[in-house]
Amino acid sequence: MTTYKSTFSIKRLWLILTIGMAAMFGTMLFLGNEIYREAPPIPAVVGSTDGTTLYTRANIERGQNLWQSIGGMQQGSVWGHGGYLAPDWSADWLHREASALLALSTAQNPYPSLRPDQQDTMLRADIQQEMRRNTFDPSTQAITVSPTRAQAIQAVESHFTKLYVGDGQDALDLRRDYAFPMHAFLTPEEAHDLSAFYFWTAWSATTNRPGDTITYTSNWPHEPLVGNHPTSGTLLWSIASVIILLAGIGALVWYYAKQFDTWNTDVVPDGGFAKSDLIDSIVITPSMRATAKYFWVVCALFLAQVLLGIVTAHYAIEGQGVYGMPLVDYLPYSVTRTWHTQLAVFWIATAWLATGLYVAPLLAGRDPKFQRLGVNFLFISLLVIVVGSFAGQWAAVHRYFGDLTANFWFGHQGYEYVDLGRFWQIYLTIGLFLWVALVLRALQPVFAAQGSKSLVGLVVIAALAIGLLYAAGLMWGQNTHISIMEYWRWWVVHLWVEGIFEVFATAIIAVLFVRMGILRSTTATVMVMLATIIFLFGGVLGTFHHLYFSGTPTSVIAVGASFSALEVVPLMVIGFEAYNRTKIEHEQTWETNYHWPFMFFASVLFWNLVGAGLFGFLINPPIALYYMQGLNTTANHGHASLFGVYGMLGLGLLLYCLRGLTDVRQWNQKLLKVSFWTLNIGLAMMTFLSLLPQGIWQTYASIEHGYSFARSSEFVHSPIMEGLVWMRVPGDVVFAVGVAAFVLFVFKATTAKRQAA
């Protein structure tokens, strides 16, 4: 009988991985080049046929920089990417401009002989034709509009000027609904530039590509007034993605079931399961002990992130207050949301990075020279980056940066998850490469030794990729086109956070299980390499599902829909994985020392299926994301997968490291039990009681009335939506109990004195 061992030799797996990754990243770069070529043009001038100049390229680019400096994606969104409380500015401008143009055209009464309903039909058809017609002239780099449309544009600009300048009670009320900072106003000149940027993003969303009937954003957002409806490609590739998903699940489940008995037997180490705990026989090196402070910082950042999340969620009710307290004067929504999302990345990444620094000397059995110095220097750098970048973001939102270039370097870049200023971004990139060097030099003796070379090789490759993929965030500059920026941003958010870190964690856990004597080396190598191949084959090109409607060519929809469906396929065999984990984690009594790390790893499997799989595929097909992009369905997926998968994995790794750094006999099992269950139950309550219902209700509004309505203050602050926001409170309270219990456990475990054996 042919088994996986004969089908997938180690050499063959490396060949598949190498060729596959070359093909995947080659395609990624090819489509990136297409995005560069086909991005919506930024005009040199926008004017009307009567000679009036509305905006220049300088206005648009400065407007983009201003938008970044006041929070960017953290205060509303552009093309669906960003925060959920304020509107999507592209969709909002588009709807307001179309409505203003309809009102102006109606007042001119161009069809006096027709009945009112016929007039309305004709006027709407005229508006669609005028707004979708591409008047960009490549030779002059100019966009030309009619005088009537110029009036409509100026009317919309007047609305936004009042909003950002704070002119009038209506504008102040709207600022409260949008959770704007209380006193951070723009000047009229700045509001003009910001309006230029918003106009251009809306123009891209309603203007047909040259020689086509599809807009630069593939007819997104849904806006009946201008004829923005899903394209045939959006629907067809959605159907294709479902077919690919079902076919992939069928093939993988069949193969798993066929090979399961062989796999089940082969997980047992050649000499049987280890009779004693590895940690009891190793020496904790100075650099390993130095990682303890990283885990204290993880707990502090985790606690701060949750507290900021509670405040950020409450701003959806009061807008500029928290239970009556004037917190907005000091920590407005755009600051709390920035820090909330940044802290999620910081504490999870810190947990994983610290695990690498701890495990590498553990496997090697010794410290390289100056290893502890490097670990301590990296720790200080981490603190400097967190404090420095957060101070810069706070100063930017409060308008303390008078120069937009200074803001770009030290303030707020305005791009979600990579909001930190460019200086801090470079500093963090250097820090990551220092981490790579520290891990690799510590692993060098392990790599030179016989056995498990392929597993350690995967750890090495993943470590290098962690540094390289984060560096992709340096590929855009201060005035880079937003479509091009989005392409590189998702290299960081999807491939760095969601992709290569998971490969690194999977590989290093497998190495540890082999070293602990609870998993056979050859089987672990095959399983990890197969998992890496399956995951990355879908995950790399699956990145494009984030870019369906970001001014990208339609080929992005085809590739993103097809490969993002493959990302979900491996999650459907989690039951097999859970069974295998249970088998190897309960063979020896000493494994009870790792009960809670194993429990957190088990919860990763559950949330991988629910958060990344079910909630992820809910919004992944193009037709779904067309209506759902930037709604609370995205927040639902983000919370369940970012914490449920990557956060739980980080906490599990932290507990594994604490096994060696603390006396496991003094662990407070009750605190860990409370923490584990309240974190999981609280997260489930948060998603199922609040975020998911909010997203579904918004989706209905988006389909029925248009996307801008689903993001409007009227809808977001409607009784149903605010009631669903309040439904977060029970889940938040339960979750907060789990966080407090976990932090208290770590404090007690790390401060307790070891008992004599």
Side-chain angles (χ1 to χ4, degrees):
M1 175 184 173
T2 302
T3 67
Y4 73 92
K5 288 184 287 188
S6 56
T7 305
F8 296 112
S9 65
I10 302 297
K11 183 178 180 180
R12 187 174 295 174
L13 285 171
W14 274 112
L15 186 63
I16 294 171
L17 181 62
T18 303
I19 295 174
M21 287 303 96
M24 295 297 115
F25 279 101
T27 305
M28 188 94 174
L29 292 170
F30 171 78
L31 287 176
N33 182 64
E34 292 299 294
I35 292 172
Y36 272 75
R37 287 197 317 107
E38 299 192 30
I42 300 177
V45 63
V46 179
S48 70
T49 53
D50 64 7
T52 302
T53 297
L54 297 171
Y55 306 117
T56 65
R57 184 187 184 99
N59 293 140
I60 295 170
E61 290 183 342
R62 188 164 185 268
Q64 181 176 343
N65 290 165
L66 279 164
W67 167 71
Q68 293 172 253
S69 73
I70 58 177
M73 291 180 178
Q74 304 295 353
Q75 191 89 60
S77 59
V78 165
W79 292 343
H81 293 294
Y84 315 108
L85 186 52
D88 180 89
W89 304 116
S90 314
D92 191 50
W93 181 290
L94 175 55
H95 180 76
R96 290 179 184 277
E97 183 184 334
S99 299
L101 184 56
L102 178 61
L104 288 168
S105 299
T106 301
Q108 293 173 359
N109 194 23
Y111 303 106
S113 61
L114 299 181
R115 297 194 313 269
D117 60 323
Q118 293 174 326
Q119 288 184 23
D120 185 66
T121 300
M122 292 297 294
L123 288 170
R124 288 174 183 268
D126 290 345
I127 288 170
Q128 288 187 22
Q129 185 177 20
E130 178 165 359
M131 293 192 68
R132 296 184 73 89
R133 185 189 305 119
N134 194 332
T135 60
F136 175 74
D137 185 344
S139 62
T140 62
Q141 297 287 296
I143 292 174
T144 306
V145 299
S146 68
T148 305
R149 187 176 178 186
Q151 284 183 270
I153 292 169
Q154 289 168 334
V156 179
E157 180 182 326
S158 175
H159 162 79
F160 279 99
T161 298
K162 290 178 180 178
L163 176 67
Y164 281 96
V165 171
D167 181 11
Q169 190 57 48
D170 288 345
L172 293 175
D173 290 343
L174 208 52
R175 287 176 66 90
R176 183 188 63 247
D177 287 345
Y178 294 165
F180 274 22
M182 187 74 78
H183 304 297
F185 299 108
L186 301 186
T187 66
E189 293 76 18
E190 290 173 328
H192 174 72
D193 291 339
L194 186 61
S195 296
F197 174 64
Y198 288 168
F199 160 78
W200 173 78
T201 64
W203 177 86
S204 302
T206 192
T207 302
N208 289 335
R209 287 184 177 274
D212 207 338
T213 58
I214 298 172
T215 72
Y216 287 102
T217 57
S218 293
N219 286 2
W220 189 93
H222 178 220
E223 179 51 71
L225 273 177
V226 298
N228 267 9
H229 300 286
T231 66
S232 56
T234 296
L235 180 58
L236 289 173
W237 284 110
S238 299
I239 295 171
S241 72
V242 175
I243 294 172
I244 291 169
L245 172 65
L246 295 175
I249 290 173
L252 191 61
V253 169
W254 168 80
Y255 192 77
Y256 252 78
K258 180 182 177 183
Q259 301 293 331
F260 185 69
D261 289 338
T262 307
W263 258 324
N264 201 29
T265 303
D266 288 350
V267 296
V268 180
D270 292 322
F273 289 101
K275 304 300 182 184
S276 61
D277 189 351
L278 166 70
I279 298 298
D280 291 335
S281 61
I282 67 166
V283 175
I284 303 298
T285 68
S287 77
M288 292 168 65
R289 201 166 297 284
T291 61
K293 53 184 168 288
Y294 282 81
F295 299 119
W296 300 337
V297 169
V298 167
C299 291
L301 298 182
F302 183 23
L303 182 61
Q305 190 231 344
V306 172
L307 293 175
L308 286 166
I310 293 171
V311 172
T312 302
H314 191 78
Y315 275 132
I317 301 295
E318 289 190 50
Q320 292 180 327
V322 178
Y323 297 105
M325 295 183 292
L327 193 62
V328 70
D329 290 342
Y330 311 100
L331 294 176
Y333 174 86
S334 52
V335 170
T336 62
R337 191 177 189 276
T338 298
W339 290 356
H340 176 65
T341 54
Q342 284 287 120
L343 282 171
V345 175
F346 278 149
W347 79 256
I348 292 171
T350 300
W352 293 1
L353 296 174
T355 298
L357 295 173
Y358 173 87
V359 168
L362 182 151
L363 296 173
R366 64 175 179 82
D367 271 346
K369 196 173 183 180
F370 303 121
Q371 183 77 357
R372 184 173 66 171
L373 176 63
V375 170
N376 289 334
F377 176 78
L378 195 60
F379 176 77
I380 294 170
S381 295
L382 170 67
L383 295 182
V384 171
I385 290 168
V386 172
V387 174
S389 64
F390 279 23
Q393 289 159 354
W394 183 89
V397 170
H398 284 280
R399 311 290 292 136
Y400 287 117
F401 281 102
D403 181 77
L404 292 174
T405 300
N407 171 76
F408 173 77
W409 279 93
F410 299 101
H412 202 308
Q413 282 203 56
Y415 299 138
E416 196 172 26
Y417 294 109
V418 280
D419 304 272
L420 64 171
R422 177 52 55 90
F423 172 81
W424 305 111
Q425 201 179 3
I426 293 172
Y427 194 170
L428 181 54
T429 303
I430 294 170
L432 287 172
F433 279 110
L434 173 59
W435 172 83
V436 171
L438 290 171
V439 170
L440 295 191
R441 69 197 293 265
L443 283 175
Q444 196 276 330
V446 183
F447 195 68
Q450 294 296 318
S452 301
K453 280 194 174 183
S454 288
L455 265 182
V456 178
L458 272 177
V459 173
V460 170
I461 292 171
L464 286 168
I466 285 172
L468 290 170
L469 288 175
Y470 187 79
L474 303 177
M475 295 299 292
W476 68 77
Q478 182 179 348
N479 293 312
T480 297
H481 193 293
I482 194 170
S483 295
I484 295 167
M485 178 283 300
E486 282 285 54
Y487 168 72
W488 290 112
R489 183 174 76 93
W490 285 107
W491 277 66
V492 178
V493 180
H494 186 86
L495 293 177
W496 185 68
V497 176
E498 300 179 29
I500 206 63
F501 260 120
E502 188 162 341
V503 172
F504 174 78
T506 302
I508 209 157
I509 288 172
V511 171
L512 288 171
F513 279 16
V514 170
R515 184 69 186 274
M516 290 165 66
I518 58 176
L519 185 61
R520 188 180 300 180
S521 176
T522 53
T523 306
T525 303
V526 172
M527 292 173 73
V528 171
M529 291 199 70
L530 270 176
T532 301
I533 289 168
I534 293 170
F535 176 77
L536 290 181
F537 268 45
V540 173
L541 294 181
T543 304
F544 285 112
H545 82 263
H546 297 287
L547 298 169
Y548 290 153
F549 312 117
S550 297
T552 52
T554 54
S555 54
V556 164
I557 294 179
V559 174
S562 302
F563 284 88
S564 65
L566 291 176
E567 288 186 89
V568 182
V569 169
L571 305 180
M572 296 300 109
V573 292
I574 275 177
F576 292 102
E577 177 70 11
Y579 178 84
N580 274 330
R581 285 277 183 89
T582 303
K583 177 180 174 62
I584 66 175
E585 291 168 4
H586 296 86
E587 287 292 328
Q588 300 292 328
T589 55
W590 61 263
E591 291 183 75
T592 57
N593 293 337
Y594 300 92
H595 172 70
W596 289 111
F598 289 164
M599 287 292 286
F600 276 91
F601 294 156
S603 70
V604 170
L605 298 178
F606 172 80
W607 287 109
N608 227 338
L609 175 62
V610 176
L614 301 181
F615 292 161
F617 196 71
L618 172 67
I619 62 175
N620 271 11
I623 191 64
L625 201 59
Y626 180 83
Y627 294 107
M628 293 180 178
Q629 178 149 297
L631 305 184
N632 276 285
T633 44
T634 305
N636 178 63
H637 163 60
H639 282 75
S641 59
L642 186 57
F643 177 76
V645 179
Y646 307 107
M648 288 291 189
L649 182 56
L651 297 181
L653 292 172
L654 182 154
L655 291 175
Y656 181 90
C657 297
L658 287 187
R659 163 67 187 97
L661 295 171
T662 63
D663 187 349
V664 71
R665 293 168 298 175
Q666 297 190 66
W667 279 16
N668 190 318
Q669 301 294 323
K670 184 176 180 180
L671 277 177
L672 276 176
K673 184 177 182 179
V674 169
S675 175
F676 175 81
W677 288 111
T678 52
L679 285 174
N680 281 281
I681 293 170
L683 181 59
M685 292 171 68
M686 191 188 308
T687 55
F688 286 104
L689 295 181
S690 181
L691 293 174
L692 183 60
Q694 285 183 67
I696 292 173
W697 184 233
Q698 279 185 296
T699 301
Y700 171 79
S702 175
I703 296 170
E704 188 71 15
H705 303 290
Y707 182 81
S708 63
F709 177 73
R711 292 288 303 274
S712 66
S713 62
E714 294 87 352
F715 186 81
V716 170
H717 289 282
S718 64
I720 292 178
M721 285 294 290
E722 289 198 346
L724 289 172
V725 172
W726 279 113
M727 288 298 293
R728 274 194 65 163
V729 173
D732 284 355
V733 170
V734 173
F735 190 85
V737 169
V739 176
F742 191 89
V743 172
L744 182 58
F745 161 78
V746 172
F747 174 77
K748 287 190 171 185
T750 54
T751 55
K753 293 184 178 180
R754 284 183 178 270
Q755 296 177 348

